[in-house]
Amino acid sequence: MANPSENLINLCRAAVEAHRVATAQPYTVEGWRPWMDAAETFQAAVTAEANQEPKQNRFKLEQATKRIVLHPELDEK
């Protein structure tokens, strides 16, 4: 199982929050830029963390991070 760092979890949370803010208003490039930037930062961090020792599967690392952020109730069971 992939083991995301707290930093990766926090970056994912930031991207999710930026998405919520961006999609709560009519589309504008300026309004969506923070979301796009946060998502890009998260994706770059996933790649960097996956390549650290011990190496992790990038896809599994991203999915584990999103599961923790988007579905915390699954870890409570």
Side-chain angles (χ1 to χ4, degrees), residues 4 13-14 16 21 24 32 40 43 56-58 62-67 69 72:
R13 284 186 179 129
V16 168
V21 170
W32 281 34
E40 184 178 342
Q43 290 297 323
Q56 298 183 65
N57 178 291
R58 192 207 173 286
E62 179 180 352
Q63 293 306 304
T65 306
K66 288 181 177 180
R67 179 176 182 251
V69 171

Side-chain angles (χ1 to χ4, degrees), residues 14-62:
V16 168
E17 176 60 15
H19 174 261
R20 186 194 64 74
V21 170
T23 58
Q25 56 197 351
Y27 171 79
T28 64
V29 173
E30 298 82 20
W32 281 34
R33 177 56 43 207
W35 172 31
M36 296 288 112
D37 291 344
E40 184 178 342
T41 299
F42 170 64
Q43 290 297 323
V46 171
T47 300
E49 191 165 311
N51 287 326
Q52 291 177 354
E53 293 297 330
K55 293 192 183 245
Q56 298 183 65
N57 178 291
R58 192 207 173 286
F59 175 76
K60 288 181 180 179
L61 181 60
E62 179 180 352

